[in-house]
Amino acid sequence: MSKLTRRTLLIGGVALATAGAGFPKLDNPFTLGVASGDPRPDGVVLWTRLAPNPLNEDGLGGMPNRVVPVHWEIAEDEGFRRIVRRGTEVARPDSAHSVHVEPFGLRPGAEYFYRFRADDHISPVGRTRTAPAPWALQDLTMCFASCSHYGEGYFTAYRRLAEDDPDLVLHLGDYQYEYAAKAADVRAVVGPETRTLADYRLRHAQYKTDADLQFAHSVAPWLVVWDDHETENNWADEVPEQPDPDFLARRAAAFQAYYENMPLRRSARPNGIDMQLYRRVQWGALANFHMLDTRQYRDDQACGDGWKTCTEAGNPTRTITGADQEAWLLDGFRRSRARWDVLGQQVFFAERDRKDGPEKELSMDSWDGYLASRDRITRGWVDAGVRNTVVLTGDVHAAYAADIKADWNDPASSRTVGTELVCTSVTSGGDGNDTVDQTQLRLNPHIKLHSRRRGYVRTRFTAQEMRADFRALPFVRQPGAPATTLKSFVVEDRNPGLNAV
Ligand SMILES: [Fe+2]
């Protein structure tokens, strides 16, 4: 690909005419960068949000209380000589002046460049990509990441991820954290713990000012799903972590700000406390991405959450997806003709027992706290004859790779029916370290890798195999760390489970 250059922007600035609307001119509103997401064969979502003063306490980014026209263009070349679509979208105060454009009529499997204009200000240029045609089996480079706490480190991992030139990026949640600044933080988080719409908007805006994060958004389309911290630690449906009579209002505010700040389709626009986040994105005949929401519809964590030996976790009525999402996912397995079916989701899927002996001690916030739910999903893909299932996970601030077993009561000899890849955090938890929990590996022989380094996972999907490179950074509390490959695995077509390379 050609690099995005400053020259391009200047050429673009000359090429676009300015239009006065009788209002005072805005200061440069493109401080939050641009993004794209949810590609289809004929289109992709283009996103930006206007905010001349992104850290204004009211969360409105220094924008006037009026609608502002935003012009957009999408071109085949980064010099914008071959513009294929253009239009005008209205940025509204009640959406924090965010815009979500859904151009259509694009070519499948193609690279495009896009930019926005408001008054005479031109945004940075973003590069994006449409999904391949439904029958196409072209190779895919996909990187995924999770858990980016602004205060706990620099977002270097996002920059390294972008430098790998992915076709697609998945973010599996904890894109931001709700907490107020802490003494140990290396960067100052602004605002209180987020509770109101203004708080969440401001928090998103501060994150989006990060140059590394902007760069990562600008190189490829993203598929995003939230986990807990975009709203509140370990929330479950309508149940907050601690009793809070205002939790539903808080949840609605968090959802609204999340929608406003992510490259999501307008079909995801929240309605009060509800937001349709789970969805499927088809990448030609190569891969189906089933993007899950394991927070909004889950039963409350069993036995008071935490690591527990808990009979209630096995209650067959318990669900982590909710009934509708489960039915949708199982239906998706039955309909799939893809080479790879990928679950982009939040919390640890494979069993992680941390107690020696026959009794198990499991994390109640993960699928281990929803055993029947996990069994139904696993049986669903096995019974549907899904060709290759890969589960992608974030949340735990450590990298893992695991074989998914048919029977967790006998993981050592049970059949492997899928593969789980868990990315570590971008920054959460600070620098990380090289200590490996050997007890955990001994008690869970299906887990083939554990690392507490920071980083991300780079994957390469082809018709024959899926390769995963676990990328690690030596530090994040200072900027500029290099990324190296800690460990690589290959999963072969029709042969679930990890092969170390
Ligand atoms: Fe996290």
Side-chain angles (χ1 to χ4, degrees), residues 146-149 152 173-177 227-230 233 394-397 425 428-429:
S146 73
C147 297
S148 34
H149 188 298
E152 292 182 358
D174 292 358
Y175 183 94
Q176 69 174 39
Y177 285 73
D227 191 16
D228 52 338
H229 288 287
E230 289 88 346
N233 185 49
D395 181 51
V396 288
H397 307 176
S425 67
S428 305

Side-chain angles (χ1 to χ4, degrees), residues 1-4 78 111 113 127 129 162 165 215 218-219:
M1 79 127 193
S2 47
K3 292 279 178 254
L4 304 177
E78 66 172 306
E111 180 180 82
F113 298 86
R127 182 182 59 155
R129 178 168 283 286
D165 206 10
F215 180 54
S218 77
V219 300

Side-chain angles (χ1 to χ4, degrees), residues 57-93:
E57 259 179 39
D58 61 9
L60 298 176
M63 285 296 290
N65 186 28
R66 61 173 170 87
V67 298
V68 174
V70 178
H71 309 279
W72 57 270
E73 303 183 311
I74 185 160
E76 291 175 338
D77 64 307
E78 66 172 306
F80 291 85
R81 283 177 294 275
R82 299 193 305 279
I83 292 170
V84 294
R85 284 284 182 280
R86 57 161 44 119
T88 303
E89 203 72 32
V90 176
R92 300 175 186 281

Side-chain angles (χ1 to χ4, degrees), residues 369-436:
Y370 302 82
L371 302 176
S373 211
R374 181 172 62 196
D375 284 347
R376 289 191 298 269
I377 301 298
T378 307
R379 214 177 321 116
W381 83 59
V382 171
D383 290 351
V386 168
R387 183 158 169 165
N388 299 292
T389 306
V390 179
V391 178
L392 307 180
T393 303
D395 181 51
V396 288
H397 307 176
Y400 287 88
D403 292 340
I404 296 173
K405 295 294 179 177
D407 179 7
W408 295 110
N409 291 319
D410 185 16
S413 55
S414 165
R415 188 160 71 98
T416 297
V417 294
T419 311
E420 181 171 17
L421 307 174
V422 183
C423 62
T424 184
S425 67
V426 170
T427 59
S428 305
D431 280 337
N433 58 66
D434 287 323
T435 61
V436 175

Side-chain angles (χ1 to χ4, degrees), residues 49 176 196-197 199-202 204 252-262 270:
R49 178 182 161 202
Q176 69 174 39
T196 67
L197 183 54
D199 296 340
Y200 284 108
R201 282 171 165 167
L202 170 57
H204 275 285
F255 285 14
Q256 174 66 21
Y258 186 82
Y259 170 76
E260 289 170 352
N261 286 279
M262 293 293 164

